[in-house]
Amino acid sequence: MESSHHRPDSFRIIWTLAFAMVISVMNSTMFNVALPVLRKEFGLTSSEVSWVVTAYIIVYAVGSVTYGKLADRFPLKNLITAGLVLFAAGSLLGLFSTSYWMIIAGRILQSMGASVIPASSMLIPMRYIPGEKRGRALGITSAGMALGTAIGPIIAGFIIGLVSWRFLFLISLLVLVSLPLFRRHLPEEKSQPGRTDLAGGLLLAAGIALLLLSITQQSWMLCGLTVVVFALFYLRIHRAGDPFVAPGIFRNKKYTAGLIIGCMILTLNLCVPYLVPQMLSSVNGLSSMETGLVMFPGALLAALLGLVGGRIADSKGNRFLVACALLLQAASYLLFSTFTGTSTMLVAGLLILTNTGLTFAQIGMAGTVSRTLTSRQTGVGMGIYMMASFITGAIGTTLIGAVLDSGGSSASLNPVYQGQGGGAFSSVFLIFAVWIIGVVALYFTVFRQSRETAVQTS
């Protein structure tokens, strides 16, 4: 889909979006570091304190597709403004909270607003950047995500150590710096006529919330309720005149295949950052600060190389970039599996390959999937793509946790494993490598064209 809306100053909005992405991602990763402190201060159990993260993920997933749907009807400028105001309101509530449930309420408000950022990170490049420069734009926003991932835990460690966890909410208020820039550089647009399928949206939100809760709580009852709610959602979108998600989008075979492949790849964007800190802690015996220092170089370099990845996508195509991404990931996972627990310097080096592969995959898959959609499908289509990647990532991290809980000292499945005491981690990395090799075969079977073409606006 080629956009006719781009303007000479389009890349100013891309850099603004990248800044907002840094703050949005930091807001997620910073609070992982604060969980032990919050648990002690408020006398909570592990399951209770986990809601600081769980509530954020649930609303973030729901919000990404909701904003995508709303962007098909309402000006993106106004949606971003509303989202950032909600983000700031949640940050202020958290900053001045006097009880644990005020913190949860603040996190929910933050997520309701922050989820406009991942939706916009897909929509703005598609709408306002020419096709030949779109890879560069996606590279910049992906670099913002990688940078936020890199600096979030380290900044959180210093802030919590020097002052208080409350100041993490203060850092989040920096997102307001981007608001006047969004207002200035996004074009004026008119709202489109139509009705919003509120009932369909609520059913989808409830289904996603129940799905993630059934995973995190490992509850069969919630799993059954999830099936019921999604069944009602299915009936709703097939009977409503203007459904929240038009079922016709899934008759686009290329999009559906790209959605599945994208989820298979992007689930590792959550699984790897979840797995590596646990490995460094339990196998290498590192503290939280030491873990952050080991992980920082790889994430920072991946952010810088994301800019290169965008240019590769523009010059060589998304298929070439995805091939590079999957090759980097497969090689790094095999090396991780073989040398788990042997050297923290080796881990730091391998994370450069891993994080670069993850960043390249994010850029390449976004470009691939977006080109299967018409202009009318872009908002909700890319929103569903982002939402599905969050859900599969949550499922993946839950499964990894179960594997580690059941076999933390088991022997590795890798016959050439060189380390000691990290057999379960070695096995998980080996599974990652096999998984990625399978994804390579599937991707190039579905997207076999040597020359990429965009779907024309309908």
Side-chain angles (χ1 to χ4, degrees):
M1 180 194 68
E2 299 298 330
S3 173
S4 60
H5 300 294
H6 60 270
R7 305 183 303 166
D9 61 351
S10 293
F11 269 88
R12 295 182 183 178
I13 195 62
I14 295 299
W15 285 107
T16 302
L17 181 60
F19 171 79
M21 182 68 78
V22 171
I23 304 300
S24 175
V25 173
M26 280 178 58
N27 190 63
S28 177
T29 59
M30 286 191 304
F31 282 89
N32 290 324
V33 180
L35 293 184
V37 178
L38 291 172
R39 178 182 177 183
K40 182 178 180 180
E41 180 170 334
F42 291 96
L44 305 169
T45 64
S46 295
S47 60
E48 287 173 337
V49 78
S50 69
W51 277 98
V52 173
V53 176
T54 302
Y56 191 90
I57 292 174
I58 289 173
V59 179
Y60 207 70
V62 173
S64 61
V65 68
T66 301
Y67 280 113
K69 174 64 177 179
L70 293 176
D72 290 335
R73 281 200 55 209
F74 300 104
L76 193 56
K77 175 187 288 189
N78 295 343
L79 291 176
I80 290 177
T81 300
L84 295 186
V85 169
L86 276 175
F87 192 177
S91 300
L92 287 172
L93 179 58
L95 178 63
F96 296 107
S97 59
T98 57
S99 66
Y100 176 63
W101 293 110
M102 286 181 68
I103 297 174
I104 296 299
R107 290 289 284 165
I108 290 173
L109 273 178
Q110 278 190 321
S111 191
M112 288 173 63
S115 54
V116 75
I117 302 301
S120 300
S121 73
M122 295 288 123
L123 291 174
I124 288 177
M126 304 308 139
R127 288 186 177 181
Y128 309 121
I129 301 297
E132 67 275 10
K133 296 181 180 179
R134 199 166 292 155
R136 178 187 168 197
L138 290 169
I140 292 171
T141 58
S142 296
M145 178 176 289
L147 183 60
T149 302
I151 64 178
I154 293 178
I155 289 177
F158 278 113
I159 288 176
I160 294 171
L162 293 175
V163 279
S164 166
W165 56 265
R166 296 179 186 277
F167 286 83
L168 299 182
F169 286 102
L170 187 63
I171 293 293
S172 300
L173 286 171
L174 287 174
V175 76
L176 290 177
V177 173
S178 65
L179 182 53
L181 298 175
F182 279 120
R183 298 293 303 177
R184 178 179 179 182
H185 296 302
L186 278 174
E188 296 290 343
E189 298 169 315
K190 294 182 179 180
S191 298
Q192 300 299 315
R195 298 169 59 186
T196 300
D197 180 17
L198 181 60
L202 290 174
L203 284 171
L204 178 61
I208 295 168
L210 286 169
L211 175 61
L212 293 179
L213 285 173
S214 66
I215 294 168
T216 56
Q217 303 297 317
Q218 300 181 29
S219 168
W220 285 107
M221 183 183 73
L222 291 175
C223 184
L225 287 174
T226 301
V227 174
V228 171
V229 171
F230 273 121
L232 292 174
F233 174 71
Y234 177 84
L235 292 174
R236 175 67 188 179
I237 64 175
H238 281 81
R239 294 180 179 179
D242 185 15
F244 191 79
V245 176
I249 194 172
F250 298 107
R251 290 195 287 269
N252 179 340
K253 294 181 179 179
K254 286 283 188 180
Y255 170 74
T256 302
L259 179 66
I260 294 170
I261 295 169
C263 287
M264 293 176 69
I265 295 175
L266 297 183
T267 186
L268 298 185
N269 282 43
L270 288 180
C271 291
V272 172
Y274 170 81
L275 182 64
V276 172
Q278 295 194 66
M279 178 190 72
L280 290 171
S281 175
S282 61
V283 180
N284 298 95
L286 300 188
S287 66
S288 297
M289 183 59 66
E290 290 169 335
T291 296
L293 292 174
V294 170
M295 296 181 67
F296 178 73
L300 180 61
L301 286 173
L304 298 175
L305 290 172
L307 304 177
V308 178
R311 294 182 182 276
I312 292 175
D314 287 336
S315 61
K316 300 289 186 179
N318 291 309
R319 293 172 75 253
F320 181 83
L321 185 63
V322 171
C324 292
L326 300 183
L327 178 63
L328 287 170
Q329 287 190 55
S332 64
Y333 298 147
L334 286 172
L335 290 169
F336 263 124
S337 176
T338 303
F339 298 104
T340 298
T342 57
S343 167
T344 55
M345 291 295 293
L346 179 61
V347 171
L350 290 178
L351 282 173
I352 297 174
L353 297 180
T354 305
N355 291 334
T356 301
L358 292 170
T359 302
F360 280 10
Q362 182 180 338
I363 299 167
M365 284 307 304
T368 298
V369 174
S370 69
R371 287 175 179 270
T372 68
L373 296 166
T374 66
S375 59
R376 294 180 182 179
Q377 297 173 328
T378 302
V380 70
M382 296 310 291
I384 291 171
Y385 172 76
M386 293 296 292
M387 177 197 71
S389 68
F390 291 138
I391 293 173
T392 53
I395 294 172
T397 55
T398 300
L399 293 175
I400 290 171
V403 169
L404 297 179
D405 288 342
S406 64
S409 59
S410 62
S412 173
L413 297 175
N414 188 341
V416 294
Y417 173 54
Q418 301 295 310
Q420 293 182 348
F425 292 96
S426 173
S427 296
V428 172
F429 278 118
L430 183 63
I431 292 170
F432 283 179
V434 174
W435 179 270
I436 284 296
I437 291 170
V439 170
V440 170
L442 182 59
Y443 178 87
F444 285 98
T445 298
V446 173
F447 299 100
R448 289 177 293 182
Q449 294 178 336
S450 58
R451 185 176 181 180
E452 296 173 330
T453 57
V455 175
Q456 296 300 314
T457 301
S458 62

